[in-house]
Amino acid sequence: MQKTVEQFVLEGPQWDLSGEYPSPESAEIEADLAEVESLLERIEILNPQLESILSTVETLPAEGATALLDDAREINGLLEKAQVLLHDPEVFASCLLSVDSQNAPAQTLEGRLQQYAKRFAAACEPLSQFLDLASGSLVTAYLDHPTTRHAEFSVRRSRERRHEVLSLAEENMVSALSQDGIHAWGRMYGQLSGTLQCEVLLGNECQTMGIAEAAGLLQRPDDQTRKSAWSAINSAWEVHEESCASALNAIAGWRLEMCRKRSASQEVTFLDAPIHMNRMSSETLERLLSIAEEARPLAQRAAKLQARAYGKEALGPWDMRAPAPDLNKSAKPSTGIAFEEALELIADAYGEVNPEMGQFVRMVRDKGWIEGSVGDYKRPGAFCTGFLKSRSPRVYMTYTGGTSDVITLAHELGHAFHSWVMRDLPLTQKSYGMSLAETASTFGETVVRDALIARARTPAEKFDIAWEDILALPAFVLNIPARFEFEKNFYEARAKRPLQTTEIKQLMSSAWKNWYGDSISEADPLFWASKLHFYISGVSFYNFPYLFGYLFSMGLYAQQEKMGADFFPNYKLLLRDTGRMTAEDLAAKHLQVRLQDADFWRVTLSDLERRVDSFEELTNTLF
Ligand SMILES: [Zn+2]
């Protein structure tokens, strides 16, 4: 890729990783890995002590178990150390490979680390079973110690599902068989989607391309291009619909069977695992879905406004990621926003929330923690990661000066801020569920988008920026609930027997019609085949956390006005607690709201309604 003059002017900086390790082949990495090796050896010597008492640990009293508890705490301490030492080289290798996927020493390091990761996972198992199964008094005694007290939330949370745990032998067998069972179906889908080719009609020409490339065309401004790409992708999947249906039936069948096997003492349903993983209650999930129903007319209105901007009555299924229609191509200044300017803009907008947030953005730039350059071998996409030893975040993207790049930068800096306010917490309190993972990023994105709209000079510019904001509504409030409804209905039907492709198509079409109504011209009956999320073998219902995350962070944004000066300190404390509280407790403590009730969500909806109203005004002016 030859850089244009424009790119040189606009592109972002390269990040600085030298403070972490000098290189993937450095003595510092070897020293860390040697230490991991000796930590694992020690754990592997201690583990049999725990394993030997697992079958009786449920009734074992705390009295007289001092030696056992000492062992368990020592294992825990060793695991925590090993985790940090493994984490940083892993992040280092993946950062290097993101910038240059051909970096051979980084590839070698990544390969070596996979072996360590496997061994580490096996070393964790006995302690995790011990803590899940042990009697209440034994666990209380274990946690009542300066070295383990911080793990209280994660240990207790995990124990809520202890009734599901099978014997160690059974668990080991399930996990061994799952590699060529449930996970094999996921891999098959991955291979299929990676090699599948489709024929897209572009103008008068038919072009053959991979489906990922064709999916990229769904973001083109030209109506016909998007429609051709969508049709081509679906035709390609149609050939393999039987394979996809087999995979879907097998993945759901496996999970349903596991639920039955785990139901010995208490019934386990297919929604238990995803709800638990997202650290929320089924009550909150039900509320969330009923709020989505309340928001459905508003989201349909947003979809119809977008259709109108494209000069049609309703959106097609190929329009879900359509960009703002090009209003005045010739009049538009083509210069873009240079990286430095974007960074200052984000710092100012963040600084409006609180000066500390603005200072944070400038510090991240000054420390060289942002990778925003343009490069031939860079991986696409954007992410935020971080190093544990130095407690410093890194932001990765390719910055080329478009408005969407500014928003992406704001999004990733939101993640970075989240990790920054948590940087001094113990490891066990740093990981959070997917439902809360996008809180700070969506918040940061909204702050900056609103700032961009405020500084836009013409209605056309405002429209351009508001488009993505409005696009989010149907994406989260119609598409995600449709996916949830489909998946739930599918599992319920699959519990009786495997479903045929025509039945699966019907389930999908009716879910789409139920949520989109007349805001779309037709449903996407093959969406279950083309959407990767249904084939992630490690996680089910990879949909409602998106809905929760979106409405929760928009709700948080709406609270800003209400809480005034109290907002920021509460916001920071809320972010700090994301790894050691349930979503409900978090909201109750820091926002004084109950997520199980409608009130909090309804404030969010009225804020969203205001956004749709002003978008409608813009649409009326322009179309
Ligand atoms: Zn994100």
Side-chain angles (χ1 to χ4, degrees), residues 76-138:
N76 179 63
L78 297 165
L79 284 170
E80 283 182 4
K81 268 190 204 150
Q83 196 182 346
V84 173
L85 292 169
L86 270 179
H87 178 270
D88 281 3
E90 269 167 11
V91 172
F92 187 68
S94 104
C95 282
L96 292 173
L97 289 168
S98 300
V99 176
D100 175 9
S101 50
Q102 309 295 310
N103 186 326
Q107 281 170 344
T108 308
L109 176 62
E110 194 176 54
R112 277 176 73 196
L113 290 168
Q114 276 166 12
Q115 294 307 312
Y116 282 100
K118 231 175 164 177
R119 207 170 138 200
F120 178 79
C124 292
E125 249 331 285
L127 180 64
S128 112
Q129 285 240 344
F130 170 79
L131 293 174
D132 278 348
L133 297 175
S135 65
S137 64
L138 197 59

Side-chain angles (χ1 to χ4, degrees), residues 356 417 421 567-577:
E356 195 184 321
F417 184 71
V421 302
F567 176 78
F568 185 69
N570 272 295
Y571 176 58
K572 253 174 73 173
L573 291 172
L574 181 146
L575 292 180
R576 265 179 85 76
D577 279 342

